[in-house]
Amino acid sequence: DNVRSYFNLAERKMNYRLNNAHIKELECSIVLHFRGGDYFDNNNMFVKNEYYNQIISRHDKLLVVTNDDKKFEEYMLKHFPQKEYRIISNGDVIYDFFTMINAKKIACANSTYSWWAAEIGDNEIIFEPEIYFEHLQQWSPKSNKTRIKI
């Protein structure tokens, strides 16, 4: 609660155009954080395909927050060519953060960006990788919330 109040999340949510239609969409979908870019340059950091495969195959309505639209679209074409999804990132990292905070279901990448969104958000279901980083297998972020590890 201290972190939420520090950032004054309720007021900022209004500044980032999370209108009722957008919030309603977040209530009936899962928001998947797919980090691309530098995560593909370092195999020790990138979440394995099995994690994303399990998340994507279990959900019909998939909204995606990503910093790498092209890489995500390549991934979907290779693994789930018939699956419907929508990339909702708009290039504004704070908007994406508030989107993840307001999702009822969130699938985190092995990234503190989505981990923090899940930690301070009102998410009801939080998925996260069993192993965050291959080179630090004993490390796992501490949390005040129940998370489903895959």
Side-chain angles (χ1 to χ4, degrees):
D1 273 347
N2 290 339
V3 174
R4 288 179 64 87
S5 61
Y6 177 77
F7 287 109
N8 198 359
L9 295 178
E11 181 180 318
R12 288 178 182 245
K13 179 168 73 171
M14 299 310 292
N15 293 337
Y16 278 91
R17 301 168 307 283
L18 295 184
N19 60 39
N20 289 337
H22 188 68
I23 290 172
K24 186 167 180 72
E25 183 179 37
L26 295 174
E27 290 174 355
C28 60
S29 305
I30 184 165
V31 173
L32 173 73
H33 179 221
F34 184 91
R35 181 159 171 189
D38 62 334
Y39 268 37
F40 286 89
D41 297 334
N42 182 349
N43 287 332
N44 291 326
M45 294 181 71
F46 178 61
V47 172
K48 301 299 182 214
N49 287 343
E50 295 81 30
Y51 171 74
Y52 285 123
N53 290 348
Q54 286 189 45
I55 299 295
I56 294 167
S57 64
R58 293 180 186 180
H59 296 90
D60 292 328
K61 293 195 171 208
L62 186 65
L63 302 175
V64 181
V65 169
T66 183
N67 65 330
D68 195 337
D69 295 8
K70 182 180 177 191
K71 189 64 78 175
F72 182 75
E73 289 171 350
E74 289 171 4
Y75 176 85
M76 290 299 286
L77 187 60
K78 180 177 179 180
H79 297 280
F80 294 93
Q82 303 302 317
K83 190 73 161 187
E84 290 187 37
Y85 64 90
R86 189 161 66 85
I87 295 174
I88 57 175
S89 301
N90 69 359
D92 182 337
V93 295
I94 296 174
Y95 177 84
D96 290 349
F97 191 72
F98 279 100
T99 296
M100 290 188 292
I101 284 173
N102 285 282
K104 291 295 180 201
K105 293 192 286 187
I106 183 173
C108 299
N110 61 331
S111 164
T112 56
Y113 178 62
S114 54
W115 180 86
W116 268 112
E119 187 62 23
I120 65 176
D122 293 325
N123 319 100
E124 293 174 3
I125 300 173
I126 302 166
F127 296 97
E128 67 182 13
E130 181 72 38
I131 297 173
Y132 260 69
F133 306 111
E134 288 291 324
H135 64 294
L136 298 172
Q137 290 194 15
Q138 301 303 316
W139 183 87
S140 183
K142 303 298 180 213
S143 179
N144 294 326
K145 295 187 173 187
T146 302
R147 293 166 181 253
I148 301 167
K149 296 206 179 255
I150 294 178

